[in-house]
Amino acid sequence: METGSNVGGQLGLYAMPQLALGIGILYNRFALQDTLEGVVEGGNFDIWEFSIFGKYLFLTRGQTHPYVKLMAGGFYSDANVDLTAPGYSVKGDETNFGLGGGVGVQYRIPKKLGLFAEALYMADFTEDTKTYYFGIRCGVNLYFRFRQW
């Protein structure tokens, strides 16, 4: 299993107090090191996620709300793999459809901000295979209200 890092943002709308809908963009980078001993020397695998999402928040009396999240969208994958033979590398890219889901917790700061931490499992449906990865994300959400309730 390779580890990586990511950075991105999301913009959402509270359709109801417990339901948030939104869009997101996220850049993931995975470093490849000795993946196949004696063949792969290193490289990187990048995934750009352009997604729509829905969150169902379990409302509590306080500001902290656990939630479930589903997302779908276009994923752009780009690989650059260095082989052990000097000067040889393999490059490739493709645009695919991806799905994801997970759980998280949000600390809602009235009225438009929320700090969050979530764990998501993603599936990137590439042409020849599927790429699965698990991510833990933390950040700040900016939300707008659909209407006053």
Side-chain angles (χ1 to χ4, degrees):
M1 174 184 286
E2 302 296 334
T3 60
S5 59
N6 62 41
V7 64
Q10 340 185 92
L11 186 61
L13 171 78
Y14 282 111
M16 300 180 341
Q18 72 276 17
L19 181 63
L21 306 171
I23 58 172
I25 184 171
L26 188 73
Y27 171 73
N28 300 279
R29 170 160 257 190
F30 301 95
L32 304 175
Q33 299 173 350
D34 299 326
T35 305
L36 297 171
E37 192 172 320
V39 178
V40 175
E41 187 173 278
N44 58 284
F45 181 62
D46 302 332
I47 301 174
W48 281 92
E49 299 172 22
F50 303 92
S51 62
I52 58 172
F53 68 85
K55 280 185 187 180
Y56 183 84
L57 292 97
F58 298 95
L59 299 180
T60 62
R61 291 182 188 256
Q63 296 296 101
T64 303
H65 309 292
Y67 63 84
V68 294
K69 181 178 184 178
L70 296 175
M71 58 189 293
F75 287 27
Y76 173 75
S77 304
D78 183 29
N80 183 8
V81 180
D82 299 323
L83 303 177
T84 52
Y88 287 93
S89 64
V90 177
K91 297 180 183 194
D93 66 325
E94 59 185 356
T95 303
N96 316 296
F97 177 73
L99 294 172
V103 297
V105 64
Q106 177 171 293
Y107 179 76
R108 201 161 158 185
I109 305 169
K111 299 194 179 203
K112 295 183 179 183
L113 291 176
L115 304 175
F116 74 91
E118 62 189 16
L120 296 172
Y121 186 74
M122 307 300 294
D124 181 0
F125 300 102
T126 56
E127 185 176 318
D128 300 324
T129 185
K130 296 176 189 77
T131 302
Y132 299 103
Y133 56 101
F134 175 77
I136 298 175
R137 302 175 182 168
C138 301
V140 177
N141 287 327
L142 175 62
Y143 285 101
F144 299 95
R145 292 183 186 193
F146 182 66
R147 64 173 198 262
Q148 296 294 329
W149 50 76

